[in-house]
Amino acid sequence: MDLGLQGRVALVTGASSGIGFGIAQALAAEGATVAVSSPTPERIEAAAEKLAARPYVHYSHDLDAVPELLDRVASDLGPVEVLVLNTGGPPGGDPLEFTREQWQAAHRELVLSPMTFIEHAVAGMRQNGWGRILSVSSSAAREPIPTLMLSTMHRTGMLGAFKLLARKLAPDGITLNTLLPGRIATARIAHLYGSIEAAEEAAPEEIPAGRLGTIEEMGAAGAFLCSGPASYITGQVLAIDGGLIRAT
């Protein structure tokens, strides 16, 4: 299938490794012109070299830097047509013991940051009559995870925001969709389980598919939702979870 991404300018945040890297890799393979960002210069430069992408240093909490980042990408590559919003998750713990600072940081990272990107990116997309916005969320947005209160609360709210925005922006040829990763073999899952080996050992008992997912599987789903043939899919939530989520 021709995904119609040849020459499209895509920006993938949090793309130095893991799911962000996997989606950037899939977009690049389809011929998109890819920009990738991360707060760590060395890591994003190394990732960009592997992807033949353009690297940018950006810290997700820095809201004021978002317009500058989008302007830099537009100047270097052209206006962003595909925006993939990905970031690491906030810390886990007892749901009643997070500090006010942790709540504020999670809100900034998981709500204010993606909304700032969207607010500044849609003008160009509207002008071109074409745009794809994809959020990488978490299975916690559909089925709460007891230790991940910060992620569960904020990511659930963003599902509602994307549904509202999808209806508003559909007449402009812009789609907004969300991926819900289940247990994907990344540094994040290794951190939550103590090691990737521990996560793999637990997989057969917790996941109907009996294994962890891969960043390549995330990338394939992400690339399709960002594609031309997916133009009639908007406001949707797609779980990539091997059957993990029990909720309908």
Side-chain angles (χ1 to χ4, degrees):
M1 180 184 293
D2 180 5
L3 296 187
L5 289 169
Q6 185 70 40
R8 295 286 188 187
V9 176
L11 170 61
V12 184
T13 68
S16 63
S17 63
I19 293 171
F21 181 90
I23 295 175
Q25 182 173 242
L27 293 173
E30 291 296 327
T33 301
V34 179
V36 289
S37 73
S38 164
T40 310
E42 298 80 6
R43 293 182 62 188
I44 197 61
E45 288 170 6
E49 185 174 355
K50 294 177 184 177
L51 297 166
R54 183 69 69 94
Y56 297 87
V57 177
H58 176 73
Y59 184 52
S60 61
H61 286 71
D62 190 352
L63 307 183
D64 293 335
V66 170
E68 179 185 355
L69 172 60
L70 291 170
D71 287 345
R72 288 173 60 200
V73 174
S75 177
D76 294 339
L77 306 175
V80 172
E81 300 167 284
V82 176
L83 176 61
V84 179
L85 299 165
N86 176 60
T87 183
D94 188 303
L96 294 177
E97 294 184 357
F98 294 109
T99 66
R100 179 177 297 179
E101 289 74 21
Q102 287 176 313
W103 277 104
Q104 291 172 335
H107 182 68
R108 193 175 186 87
E109 179 179 26
L110 299 180
V111 177
L112 296 182
S113 178
M115 286 305 305
T116 303
F117 269 104
I118 293 168
E119 289 164 3
H120 286 87
V122 293
M125 294 179 180
R126 276 174 156 166
Q127 185 174 357
N128 293 332
W130 197 98
R132 300 289 182 267
I133 300 173
L134 180 69
S135 172
V136 180
S137 184
S138 165
S139 63
R142 178 65 59 78
E143 193 168 88
I145 297 174
T147 59
L148 298 182
M149 169 65 97
L150 298 178
S151 183
T152 297
M153 180 175 177
H154 291 96
R155 294 189 192 279
T156 300
M158 284 304 294
L159 295 186
F162 262 55
K163 176 63 77 171
L164 188 155
L165 291 172
R167 292 178 60 85
K168 180 178 180 62
L169 296 173
D172 298 301
I174 302 170
T175 69
L176 294 94
N177 293 292
T178 301
L179 293 180
L180 299 186
R183 309 285 167 76
I184 310 298
T186 64
R188 170 71 169 169
I189 204 71
H191 172 73
L192 292 174
Y193 277 81
S195 70
I196 198 69
E197 291 77 17
E200 290 171 343
E201 289 177 7
E205 296 183 4
E206 299 177 348
I207 305 169
R211 64 174 178 84
L212 299 179
T214 68
I215 62 170
E216 288 78 16
E217 288 167 323
M218 291 296 305
F224 176 71
L225 288 177
C226 292
S227 72
S231 61
Y232 205 57
I233 302 173
T234 191
Q236 300 306 305
V237 180
L238 177 62
I240 315 297
D241 70 343
L244 175 69
I245 298 175
R246 293 176 174 83
T248 56

